[in-house]
Amino acid sequence: MSVPMSRADPVVPPGAPGRVSVIRKSPRTRFRAPGSRRRSRWSDVRAHGRRAPVPAARGPCRNPGVRVGILATFLIVTGHFSAYTFVSPALQKLSGIDERLVGPLLFGFGPAGMAGNFAAGAALARRTHRTVLIIAVSLAAAMPLFLLLGRTSVGGAVLLIVWGLAYGGVSVGLQTWMIKAAPDAVEAASSLWVAVFNLAIGLGALVGGVIVDTLTLQGVLWLGGACALAAALAIRSARGDENLR
């Protein structure tokens, strides 16, 4: 079998002194053993019965920041609606406010919530964790304080406005928390947050009704404050998360 040689290869006569029996391959020549075939990494996988590793998908629930955000959402919203569902009888029976003034006071709850929403939005851009923690602590204080400072008409009206200011930042605050906690899974984390938020609304109203029927009206205010306090403790536990600062 003759081997083609490059034009640059020197011609050495057979039997010449110092002749080296090394054949230089031309750059244009490729050698392949008869019957051989090129093997890819996939043929190696088939030959050894192994599969290429597939990276495991990391769901949002495996993210500690997302878990805290979901827990805080569940606690705050459940506690809020367990108490706010019965805010009208609370204003009348605990604060002594006339029934005709309850409507205008509840109307004032709306603008207070809007103001809290804008204030929280501005603060979240600088300090996400601290802002959400302040919201939770404010709610934990406002609802039980009805039993102490809300025994007068003025006290009940002021606490209702404070309550509205604090709760106004809940939606924007916790949604911002979820987005920052899971920057690589924003859609999944946001979908989970919305589902838990809506579930907590119905559950809070249901639990509040059961407590008012079986216990007392004051019980829903204690429950709302306790849920907000538990949420504040959960939020504080995530203070080391770099994405939430």
Side-chain angles (χ1 to χ4, degrees):
M1 177 180 176
S2 61
V3 179
M5 300 173 56
S6 173
R7 294 180 182 179
D9 293 332
V11 179
V12 181
R19 185 175 183 271
V20 181
S21 59
V22 176
I23 301 177
R24 295 182 59 192
K25 181 179 68 173
S26 171
R28 294 171 297 178
T29 304
R30 295 181 179 177
F31 293 91
R32 183 177 297 174
S36 66
R37 62 179 181 177
R38 183 175 300 173
R39 300 177 66 189
S40 66
R41 61 191 180 106
W42 300 111
S43 63
D44 293 337
V45 170
R46 288 194 297 269
H48 294 84
R50 296 192 303 266
R51 290 185 178 181
V54 178
R58 184 183 181 187
C61 291
R62 295 186 178 182
N63 187 320
V66 171
R67 291 199 299 266
V68 170
I70 291 298
L71 178 60
T73 300
F74 179 79
L75 291 171
I76 289 176
V77 178
T78 299
H80 166 77
F81 279 95
S82 67
Y84 186 75
T85 303
F86 302 96
V87 68
S88 177
L91 290 172
Q92 296 177 53
K93 295 181 179 180
L94 299 179
S95 302
I97 295 176
D98 188 85
E99 184 180 359
R100 294 171 296 178
L101 298 178
V102 172
L105 284 176
L106 294 180
F107 179 80
F109 187 93
M114 293 177 60
N117 186 284
F118 284 107
L124 286 164
R126 299 187 300 270
R127 298 278 186 174
T128 301
H129 181 270
R130 181 178 297 179
T131 303
V132 177
L133 181 60
I134 291 173
I135 291 171
V137 171
S138 300
L139 288 171
M143 286 181 271
L145 280 178
F146 258 95
L147 304 174
L148 299 176
L149 305 179
R151 294 293 182 176
T152 64
S153 300
V154 175
V158 171
L159 285 174
L160 182 67
I161 298 304
V162 172
W163 188 351
L165 281 169
Y167 188 75
V170 167
S171 296
V172 64
L174 290 172
Q175 191 169 18
T176 302
W177 177 291
M178 298 297 291
I179 292 173
K180 288 191 173 184
D184 298 329
V186 173
E187 293 82 3
S190 298
S191 300
L192 181 61
W193 177 79
V194 171
V196 172
F197 197 103
N198 289 323
L199 174 65
I201 292 175
L203 182 63
L206 176 63
V207 172
V210 172
I211 290 177
V212 169
D213 288 340
T214 57
L215 300 176
T216 60
L217 181 63
Q218 291 87 338
V220 293
L221 296 171
W222 283 117
L223 175 63
C227 287
L229 180 60
L233 295 176
I235 291 166
R236 188 177 183 274
S237 68
R239 62 187 180 276
D241 195 326
E242 295 291 338
N243 293 331
L244 299 173
R245 292 186 176 181

